[in-house]
Amino acid sequence: KAGVTQTPRYLIKTRGQQVTLSCSPISGHRSVSWYQQTPGQGLQFLFEYFSETQRNKGNFPGRFSGRQFSNSRSEMNVSTLELGDSALYLCASSLVPGGYNEQFFGPGTRLTVL
Amino acid sequence: AQSVAQPEDQVNVAEGNPLTVKCTYSVSGNPYLFWYVQYPNRGLQFLLKYITGDNLVKGSYGFEAEFNKSQTSFHLKKPSALVSDSALYFCAVRDTGGTSYGKLTFGQGTILTVHP
């Protein structure tokens, strides 16, 4: 089975721009979660989607949004980029959300905001 | 609210020696606990999880973890460390109660360095 894939792997943007990141979960997995990883803040939960519905949301401003499609693929969007948005954005999938199901992570998208 | 603490930013151990990476947690209900490892420029890889039952959980690459409910801890262990074990390790918890159902909370991570 193919793992979680994320595109693009690297991205450079300037302040004020917007960006869309894509995640394809493992085949059969219906839950997708997004995390932001930075050296200072560690791994922070952004949001979780299941059956095209957002089930959980972390403490991020409204500039961060996401969606899930009927094939379980997910996208996240960051509008009006700030320097502090520079981070590794990780996507993780699981069969269903919650419970004892472990999440499987993609390689991440490295976003640099100049 | 659920939380995880990894009290050591860094752990250094000699190859062949046993290693321990510490993790404590706080939840309102019962916990599901997980350990992940991250190598440079890679995503996180799942190592093992505790759901219920036996307090000693065995996982990938010879790692194991011991669940201690009274101390709210879930320390990661390996009897004999390898240089290739050097990486960033994350402990995570999911609460079965409260309002954060489904959400996985990670600790800050511990850098493990195994010296030859």
Side-chain angles (χ1 to χ4, degrees):
Chain A
K1 253 184 193 178
V4 178
T5 57
Q6 292 186 245
T7 56
R9 291 293 311 278
Y10 302 91
L11 208 48
I12 299 175
K13 292 285 186 179
T14 56
R15 277 181 299 174
Q17 287 186 308
Q18 76 165 24
V19 66
T20 299
L21 311 182
S22 181
C23 171
S24 292
I26 291 171
S27 178
H29 285 194
R30 296 164 59 199
S31 175
V32 173
S33 297
W34 289 89
Y35 297 86
Q36 181 195 65
Q37 185 178 17
T38 58
Q41 299 297 318
L43 267 169
Q44 295 192 85
F45 172 76
L46 279 157
F47 23 67
E48 180 182 41
Y49 287 88
F50 175 66
S51 293
E52 303 177 64
T53 302
Q54 189 181 87
R55 284 178 50 96
N56 272 307
K57 189 177 191 308
N59 296 322
F60 278 82
R63 300 185 297 108
F64 291 81
S65 62
R67 59 178 175 168
Q68 186 181 35
F69 301 96
S70 58
N71 62 358
S72 296
R73 191 177 69 85
S74 178
E75 289 181 347
M76 67 162 282
N77 184 279
V78 188
S79 62
T80 320
L81 283 166
E82 300 177 359
L83 295 178
D85 297 333
S86 294
L88 180 67
Y89 289 88
L90 293 164
C91 167
S93 76
S94 59
L95 283 168
V96 291
Y100 51 77
N101 297 288
E102 62 268 32
Q103 295 182 343
F104 294 86
F105 283 77
T109 294
R110 173 75 63 185
L111 173 64
T112 302
V113 182
L114 303 176
Chain B
Q2 61 191 36
S3 64
V4 179
Q6 293 180 241
E8 300 158 318
D9 291 336
Q10 197 157 355
V11 170
N12 295 294
V13 64
E15 188 173 33
N17 283 1
L19 69 87
T20 299
V21 182
K22 295 180 180 177
C23 170
T24 59
Y25 65 90
S26 174
V27 294
S28 59
N30 290 314
Y32 293 134
L33 293 154
F34 305 82
W35 274 103
Y36 287 84
V37 61
Q38 185 178 34
Y39 297 98
N41 300 314
R42 303 280 295 275
L44 277 66
Q45 294 179 34
F46 169 73
L47 281 178
L48 51 79
K49 66 182 177 183
Y50 172 81
I51 304 170
T52 187
D54 195 349
N55 289 341
L56 187 64
V57 179
K58 294 189 183 298
S60 306
Y61 314 119
F63 283 94
E64 56 191 29
E66 186 168 11
F67 172 69
N68 187 316
K69 187 171 184 177
S70 63
Q71 297 186 4
T72 60
S73 67
F74 189 56
H75 301 332
L76 181 70
K77 301 182 179 186
K78 188 173 183 182
S80 179
L82 301 172
V83 172
S84 57
D85 293 330
S86 299
L88 179 59
Y89 289 80
F90 289 98
C91 180
V93 68
R94 182 180 284 136
D95 196 349
T96 60
T99 58
S100 56
Y101 175 76
K103 180 181 168 183
L104 197 58
T105 299
F106 286 85
Q108 283 294 100
T110 298
I111 298 172
L112 172 67
T113 303
V114 181
H115 302 281

